[in-house]
Amino acid sequence: MDNDEFRRQAHELVDWMADYLETLEERPVKSRVEPGGIAEMLPEAGPESGEDINDVFADFRELILPGMTHWQHPMFMAYFPANSSYPSVLAEMLTATLGAQCMSWETSPAAAELEGRVMEWLRDWLGLPGDFEGVIQDTASTATLCALLSARERATGFEINERGFAGQGERRFSVYCSTETHSSIEKDVKIAGFGSASLRRVAIDESFAMRPEALVEAIEADRAEGVTPLCVIAALGTTSSTAIDPIEAIGEVCGEYGIWLHVDAAYAGTALLLPEFRWMLGSARNVDSFVVNPHKWMATNFDCTAYYVRDVDALVRTFEIQPEYLRTRADDQVRNYRDWGIQLGRRFRALKLWFVMRSFGLEGLQVMLRRHIEYGQWLAGRIEDHPNFERLAPAPLNCVCFRWMPPGETDEAAIEKANIRLLADIQDSGKLYLTHTRLNGRYALRIVPGQTRVERRHVEAAWWLIEETAKRLAHE
């Protein structure tokens, strides 16, 4: 393919991209293919000779697209969104065209300096303290791992990096989170070398938020056993129900015991762009690190995670390695973000965040967030008022957890079975995508109207579909 052919194909692809986004509502939101269905249509061996790009794109449309769940569909209300927007897509095109590997300042000075600046903008927009410094990671899972490793090294004088855990003798460490914390926390604890047995799951209150007094009890129990409390991971918006842990109170505990406090605000943290939701974080005076995902609720294509830390020296000392072939004359004057995380190679993620922040502005993002929260509150109200539905958790933002209560049914097993059927029928309709969780052992449906293009009419259509599907099932 030469440049002329590239230009022609690129124009055609952009036209298709625009048509795709414009007509998304005509497609089923969730893929309907059976397991293995796509693989059966693909050759078992790759082609010996190059193929025409038109044939490749035709197969994309006919083979790949039917197997895609459309995350940018306005009726995608499952999990948490992985939002996109026109400015972000355009920036991703530029990123791909530049093809830069932005591991060091020297490999792309603009990428490094733009990243530093947009992290400052976002910090200030979120109302984080000015002594936080930020770096873009790929996902919150990686950012939390960075926090655990930094906490580990700071607590051991950076000895584990040098000598491994063997140098700690019989010393043991503990990490704390609530029983509602995301599953990635346990994975990170294992990767960091602590072992899942070191993870303490702290009891929650009736709103599914961590109880500070239970945290103190767990810390004291560990100290009595000679275990070193290392890190607390507080959730500013749990995955199941967006429960908000009491960050201020947890911070007081961490400050008293000298424990690293990491705040996982992957989804709900974006709501800090709204002054009326700054209560969720409080003063953050005892917070050591903080993560939020612009790729969830801030119109920025996956992947783009903003990780903030107070002790930059601990972060860099944890990850810095200086082989001769990476040294440059500018090292003493610049930030080499390869030393701020796990990966050496880094994509130019700051570009799409810059495009989004400049295109929407703070006010534009605030309008979007307030609209989504309004939709969530409207749904919560409909569920509260309906005699055959029950809300199972507080809804501080736009994630609503609920279940259907079939008329006259009181058996918990039968209620769960009915809700499993309700969810399956809704998903199979192709009109709406929801997911489920468990809260206090009860099967709960989750609905999250937070897609960039979602409108009130979509939310009303979703609720109508839920109601009508339940009504039909009740009469079967």
Side-chain angles (χ1 to χ4, degrees):
M1 181 184 293
D2 60 19
N3 196 268
D4 289 339
E5 178 67 6
F6 169 75
R7 186 186 304 276
R8 187 181 69 80
Q9 293 289 347
H11 280 294
E12 291 185 9
L13 280 180
V14 169
D15 283 340
W16 181 89
M17 291 159 58
D19 290 342
Y20 167 78
L21 294 172
E22 190 173 45
T23 61
L24 253 181
E25 292 185 47
E26 299 172 12
R27 301 177 184 272
V29 59
K30 182 178 179 293
S31 172
R32 294 170 171 176
V33 302
E34 295 295 328
I38 302 298
E40 287 180 1
M41 295 186 290
L42 299 173
E44 293 185 2
E48 293 287 338
S49 303
E51 300 180 51
D52 188 286
I53 193 68
N54 291 297
D55 294 334
V56 178
F57 186 56
D59 282 348
F60 164 79
R61 296 194 307 267
E62 296 170 15
L63 304 181
I64 304 303
L65 206 58
M68 294 301 297
T69 291
H70 301 289
W71 283 69
Q72 306 313 313
H73 198 297
M75 297 298 280
F76 184 100
M77 300 183 190
Y79 305 108
F80 286 133
N83 275 357
S84 171
S85 64
Y86 292 119
S88 181
V89 170
L90 292 175
E92 284 276 51
M93 293 166 65
L94 293 177
T95 299
T97 302
L98 291 171
Q101 209 277 49
C102 307
M103 58 185 176
S104 306
W105 179 89
E106 182 155 307
T107 61
S108 283
E113 296 189 15
L114 181 64
E115 182 165 341
R117 186 64 75 211
V118 296
M119 287 294 93
E120 291 171 354
W121 289 1
L122 183 57
R123 177 196 64 201
D124 295 343
W125 283 12
L126 293 169
L128 297 176
D131 57 345
F132 272 110
E133 296 191 56
V135 58
I136 299 179
Q137 307 283 1
D138 52 5
T139 64
S141 300
T142 300
T144 298
L145 180 57
C146 288
L148 285 172
L149 294 172
S150 299
R152 185 191 75 185
E153 292 309 304
R154 191 171 74 174
T156 61
F158 301 90
E159 286 188 357
I160 293 179
N161 265 358
E162 293 295 324
R163 303 173 59 195
F165 278 94
Q168 297 300 305
E170 297 298 316
R171 189 179 185 189
R172 293 177 293 153
F173 302 93
S174 53
V175 177
Y176 307 84
C177 66
S178 86
T179 56
E180 289 292 304
T181 305
H182 193 269
S183 60
S184 64
I185 306 306
E186 182 176 358
K187 181 184 288 188
D188 286 341
V189 165
K190 292 193 290 186
I191 294 171
F194 300 115
S196 57
S198 70
L199 183 62
R200 311 289 189 255
R201 299 185 185 277
V202 180
I204 55 175
D205 61 21
E206 64 281 356
S207 68
F208 302 99
M210 184 190 293
R211 292 172 46 225
E213 64 275 17
L215 174 62
V216 171
E217 292 172 4
I219 291 171
E220 288 288 357
D222 278 329
R223 283 160 55 94
E225 294 292 326
V227 179
T228 301
L230 182 81
C231 181
V232 173
I233 299 170
L236 195 157
T238 59
T239 301
S240 284
S241 67
T242 56
I244 312 297
D245 287 344
I247 308 298
E248 195 75 17
I250 292 171
E252 292 295 334
V253 173
C254 291
E256 179 181 348
Y257 288 96
I259 302 172
W260 185 292
L261 174 57
H262 175 65
V263 175
D264 179 0
Y267 175 70
T270 300
L272 295 173
L273 294 176
L274 304 173
E276 62 266 31
F277 282 93
R278 296 276 172 81
W279 60 267
M280 297 190 299
L281 184 62
S283 69
R285 62 179 175 272
N286 290 304
V287 174
D288 292 281
S289 54
F290 175 94
V291 62
V292 63
N293 288 343
H295 69 233
K296 277 191 168 72
W297 201 15
M298 198 175 152
T300 304
N301 282 62
F302 184 85
D303 54 1
C304 183
T305 287
Y307 176 58
Y308 288 94
V309 64
R310 272 198 162 103
D311 190 346
V312 174
D313 181 65
L315 176 69
V316 173
R317 286 186 64 186
T318 298
F319 295 105
E320 183 179 42
I321 292 180
Q322 292 287 0
E324 189 62 36
Y325 52 79
L326 291 180
R327 296 181 185 274
T328 73
R329 291 176 295 170
D331 286 347
D332 293 337
Q333 308 170 60
V334 300
R335 291 179 175 179
N336 290 318
Y337 284 116
R338 66 168 189 263
D339 298 326
W340 289 51
I342 294 167
Q343 300 92 348
L344 170 61
R346 307 182 78 251
R347 298 180 63 240
F348 191 4
R349 296 183 181 93
L351 188 64
K352 59 189 171 187
L353 186 55
W354 187 54
F355 266 52
V356 167
M357 295 179 78
R358 292 190 62 185
S359 298
F360 281 82
L362 176 58
E363 291 180 356
L365 291 169
Q366 289 174 333
V367 167
M368 180 188 74
L369 294 172
R370 288 188 175 111
R371 188 173 67 244
H372 292 171
I373 293 170
E374 178 189 340
Y375 297 159
Q377 297 306 303
W378 181 85
L379 282 167
R382 301 289 77 71
I383 291 164
E384 287 279 357
D385 294 341
H386 201 290
N388 299 127
F389 285 89
E390 178 184 19
R391 187 152 62 89
L392 295 179
L397 298 167
N398 63 328
C399 173
V400 186
C401 297
F402 67 100
R403 66 176 177 173
W404 173 41
M405 302 294 290
E409 187 59 76
T410 58
D411 180 72
E412 283 293 327
I415 292 170
E416 177 170 325
K417 184 177 180 181
N419 278 272
I420 291 173
R421 173 70 187 281
L422 175 62
L423 178 62
D425 278 25
I426 289 171
Q427 290 182 344
D428 290 346
S429 75
K431 298 176 181 178
L432 174 65
Y433 190 20
L434 305 181
T435 45
H436 80 281
T437 189
R438 285 191 183 275
L439 295 167
N440 285 333
R442 296 182 294 183
Y443 187 92
L445 305 180
R446 287 174 76 259
I447 185 167
V448 187
Q451 213 287 324
T452 304
R453 300 171 183 83
V454 68
E455 300 174 8
R456 177 64 173 264
R457 63 185 175 88
H458 300 116
V459 181
E460 292 175 352
W463 176 239
W464 179 88
L465 179 63
I466 293 168
E467 277 191 301
E468 291 302 309
T469 304
K471 190 181 300 182
R472 173 177 57 78
L473 291 176
H475 289 90
E476 286 187 357

